[in-house]
């Protein structure tokens, strides 16, 4: 694994992770702190030392490997604008934006309450838009438009213009799906 041959200080600098007293990397993902053992490159939860699901471990390690230190820019783009995103954009919309509208019945107030519960920062796009810090240098936005007599409700996940510098398109699709899952769960809690 190329991470083993990499300097952890460089990885921390590029990814926004921190280095703790033991020399391990620490970072948040989906509002939870993780520890990445610098010798074994294994991931554990900071609060209880448990191993997270393999998907979470893979996303964190891929993020650390992919991060190139490009300063994040809060200019937003849709999935189709990501590298090779056009081919998969319709499927991505189906399990993110369309799912959010379906699960919340297009209720902008429920979306707003759930997003605020998850510490989303308001974004002036759509009828309600919120920005979420997913990884140290990666934010995603979720936006909803209320429906009316002519058009149904719509929602979309947006990505920072610099997102491809931190995860490949496939990884961004997974993170977008995880964000929608959290919003839906928070709305129903």
């Amino acid at each position: 694994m190329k991470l083993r041959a990499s300097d952890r200080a460089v990885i921390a600098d590029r990814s926004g992770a921190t280095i703790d007293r033991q020399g391990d990397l620490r970072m948040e993902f989906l509002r939870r702190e993780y520890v990445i053992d610098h010798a074994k490159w294994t991931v554990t939860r900071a609060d209880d030392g448990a191993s997270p699901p393999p998907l979470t471990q893979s996303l964190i390690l891929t993020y650390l490997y992919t991060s190139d230190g490009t300063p994040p820019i809060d200019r937003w783009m849709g999935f189709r604008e990501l590298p090779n995103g056009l081919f998969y954009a319709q499927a991505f919309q189906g399990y993110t934006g369309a799912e959010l509208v379906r699960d919340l019945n297009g209720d902008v107030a429920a979306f707003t309450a759930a997003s605020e519960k998850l510490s989303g920062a308001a974004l002036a796009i759509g009828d309600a838009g919120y920005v979420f810090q997913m990884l140290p240098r990666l934010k995603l936005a979720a936006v909803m438009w209320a429906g009316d007599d002519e058009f149904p409700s719509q929602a979309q996940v947006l990505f920072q213009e610099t997102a491809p510098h931190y995860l490949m398109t496939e990884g961004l699709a997974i993170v977008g799906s995880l964000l929608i899952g959290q919003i839906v769960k928070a709305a129903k809690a």
Side-chain angles (χ1 to χ4, degrees), residues 134-174:
M134 304 303 290
L135 287 154
R137 293 200 174 159
L138 177 67
K139 296 176 190 173
L140 269 60
V143 181
M144 186 176 273
W145 292 267
D148 59 24
D149 293 338
E150 294 183 39
F151 298 102
S153 297
Q154 293 183 1
Q156 187 175 8
V157 173
L158 300 175
F159 300 86
Q160 288 175 297
E161 186 177 285
T162 51
H165 293 272
Y166 293 95
L167 280 176
M168 295 174 286
T169 301
E170 296 82 2
L172 292 168
I174 294 167

Side-chain angles (χ1 to χ4, degrees), residues 87-171:
F87 174 75
Y88 196 61
Q90 186 173 355
F92 178 75
Q93 179 62 21
Y95 65 78
T96 57
E99 181 177 315
L100 183 62
V101 168
R102 212 174 22 253
D103 288 351
L104 300 185
N105 296 315
D107 186 344
V108 174
F111 168 70
T112 297
S115 296
E116 290 175 358
K117 192 185 296 185
L118 295 173
S119 302
L123 179 67
I125 299 177
D127 291 314
Y130 288 87
V131 176
F132 300 89
Q133 189 75 48
M134 304 303 290
L135 287 154
R137 293 200 174 159
L138 177 67
K139 296 176 190 173
L140 269 60
V143 181
M144 186 176 273
W145 292 267
D148 59 24
D149 293 338
E150 294 183 39
F151 298 102
S153 297
Q154 293 183 1
Q156 187 175 8
V157 173
L158 300 175
F159 300 86
Q160 288 175 297
E161 186 177 285
T162 51
H165 293 272
Y166 293 95
L167 280 176
M168 295 174 286
T169 301
E170 296 82 2

Side-chain angles (χ1 to χ4, degrees), residues 27 29-30 43 53-67 135 138 166-176 178:
M27 58 181 271
F29 175 53
L30 295 173
V43 179
L55 178 63
T56 300
Q57 293 180 49
S58 178
L59 284 168
I60 288 171
L61 293 174
T62 300
Y63 170 81
L64 292 172
Y65 178 76
T66 306
S67 296
L135 287 154
L138 177 67
Y166 293 95
L167 280 176
M168 295 174 286
T169 301
E170 296 82 2
L172 292 168
I174 294 167
V175 173
L178 293 171

